[in-house]
Amino acid sequence: MSNNLHYLNGNWVFADNLKVSAFDLAVSRGFGVFDFLRTYNYQPFYLKEHIDRFFNSAKLLGLKVPKTKKEVEDIVYEGINKNSSSELNIKIILTGGETEDGLTPIGKHSLLVIFTPAISYPEVFYQKGIRVITVKGSRFLPHVKYLNYTQAVIAMNEAKKFNAQEALYVNEEGKITEGTRSNFFAIINNKLITPDKYILNGITREVVLKIAKNLGIEIEKKDIFVSQITQFEEAFLTSSTKEIMPIVAIDDKTVRKGSVGEITKKLMREFKVFVNS
Ligand code: PDD
């Protein structure tokens, strides 16, 4: 465990003291919201957008963040200063809080901001691409980054059996919506396609769409069906931790004969330039 300091309800504490009550709805019912971002060059990446999404998630679940957006921003900057020995992953959490009846929030939330050293995925994932599986299901409230990732844990257990690094949710209509912790993109007929419905509005997704637009790549936000997998010329995932991660196999089908595609490579290169600029 690192010696990092974390924010908990107005105090800065080491991991040993980063605790919430067992009676908190986050513990007893998995109820609460979070957001997750990282630093590049010791600066928070798209902080404002992550904070906006965090407040929106809270609002959609009827929770009130006990701080203003500016105050949460200041906490993030203070934490980066206190934990300056490495690039950081930053997780902002608002718990459902303690209750009287075991279910109803009564405003006794905990606000936590956790600062851990950023960990990168193995380079081989980016050079050779990864395998993913599809699983039936979709997130209950896709726009909300809520704490309960039960579906994701189950899906990833399944993925591991197939040596896959991510699982893609396929909804009742046969649409690939998103990964358990990432957004999904495919390239069909040289066009970059990403689902626009039933997804978390990923911040990395937005950045990638912006980069693709600047590169003159044709973009379409529309449904992608699981039945279209064999038409994929390329495919990749995006997230704050995965950045752009190429996919070369989905279930038992290879994408682009199992190698990373040129458009994906171009986007990966530009993404690196962008985050370091
Ligand atoms: N997950 N969809 C889901 C369901 C996610 O959980 C995430 C991020 C994304 C991508 O969002 P962004 O580009 O803003 O990171 C899409 C984080 C990384 C996590 O839960 O660890």
Side-chain angles (χ1 to χ4, degrees), residues 34 36 50 53 139 145 149 178-183 200 202-205 238-241:
F34 76 105
F36 181 98
H50 281 281
R53 190 171 68 183
R139 292 171 65 249
K145 212 157 162 49
Y149 268 54
E178 61 183 346
T180 63
R181 286 178 297 166
S182 56
N183 289 112
L200 181 79
I203 312 279
T204 321
R205 173 181 177 273
T238 63
S239 82
S240 299
T241 50

Side-chain angles (χ1 to χ4, degrees), residues 233 248 254-259:
E233 287 145 20
V248 292
T254 55
V255 177
R256 206 195 151 83
K257 299 199 184 86
S259 68

Side-chain angles (χ1 to χ4, degrees), residues 12 73-83 115:
W12 289 94
E73 210 172 284
D74 290 346
I75 293 166
V76 169
Y77 278 109
E78 199 177 336
I80 292 171
N81 277 336
K82 287 184 190 295
N83 299 294
F115 298 84

Side-chain angles (χ1 to χ4, degrees), residues 68-101:
T68 63
K69 289 185 182 180
K70 171 75 172 61
E71 283 167 340
V72 176
E73 210 172 284
D74 290 346
I75 293 166
V76 169
Y77 278 109
E78 199 177 336
I80 292 171
N81 277 336
K82 287 184 190 295
N83 299 294
S84 58
S85 60
S86 70
E87 296 288 359
L88 297 165
N89 285 339
I90 302 166
K91 194 166 186 173
I92 310 169
I93 300 176
L94 180 67
T95 69
E98 289 184 44
T99 68
E100 275 159 7
D101 63 0

